[in-house]
């Protein structure tokens, strides 16, 4: 019975830490870039876009399609970096608990 109570206490602690981690993800920011830095997208690890920067050289009607493609690429780069940051936070949180891989989206 003591083992069960210990597991329940550990689960409650993990839940509390998970909540803290979720809140902290809003403060972790990554930047995705494309076109050699002509387009940059900054977002949080919770996938909230915070800023988009576009080099003025792309602000021409004939460059519209290039700009659209670069925005998509920069967003994808930022999303991948945000997912990596989230996974690293999750790994740090659950690393010492001996939980099976794949639990909590790992």
């Amino acid at each position: 019975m003591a083992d069960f109570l210990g597991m329940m206490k550990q689960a409650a602690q993990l839940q509390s830490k998970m909540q803290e981690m979720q809140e902290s993800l809003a403060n972790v920011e990554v930047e995705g870039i494309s076109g050699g830095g002509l387009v940059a997208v900054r977002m949080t690890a919770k996938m909230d876009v915070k800023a988009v920067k576009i080099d003025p050289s792309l602000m021409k009607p004939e460059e519209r399609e290039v700009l659209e493609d670069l925005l998509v690429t920069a967003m994808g780069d930022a999303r991948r970096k945000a997912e990596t940051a989230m996974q690293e936070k999750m790994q740090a949180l659950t690393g010492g608990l001996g939980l099976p891989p794949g639990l909590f989206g790992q």
Side-chain angles (χ1 to χ4, degrees):
M1 188 65 151
D3 286 332
F4 179 73
L5 292 176
M7 286 176 53
M8 292 301 292
K9 184 177 179 182
Q10 189 177 17
Q13 289 172 344
L14 178 60
Q15 184 176 8
S16 175
K17 288 181 181 181
M18 288 288 292
Q19 181 65 32
E20 289 172 18
M21 186 207 62
Q22 286 292 326
E23 291 169 6
S24 75
L25 288 176
N27 298 320
V28 175
E29 291 189 2
V30 297
E31 184 175 65
I33 59 170
S34 65
L38 293 175
V39 174
V41 174
R42 188 170 38 96
M43 72 170 46
T44 70
K46 290 187 90 168
M47 311 297 175
D48 295 326
V49 175
K50 294 295 188 178
V52 175
K53 293 182 183 176
I54 301 169
D55 188 275
S57 68
L58 296 173
M59 300 295 203
K60 300 174 188 166
E62 64 273 11
E63 298 293 332
R64 182 183 58 82
E65 287 183 32
V66 172
L67 177 57
E68 291 169 349
D69 290 342
L70 290 173
L71 279 168
V72 169
T73 302
M75 292 287 286
D77 186 41
R79 183 187 49 77
R80 283 186 296 280
K81 289 176 180 176
E83 288 172 351
T84 298
M86 184 172 58
Q87 288 173 353
E88 288 171 357
K89 285 257 187 201
M90 187 68 74
Q91 192 77 2
L93 176 66
T94 62
L97 296 177
L99 297 173
L103 195 63
F104 302 113
Q106 289 182 354

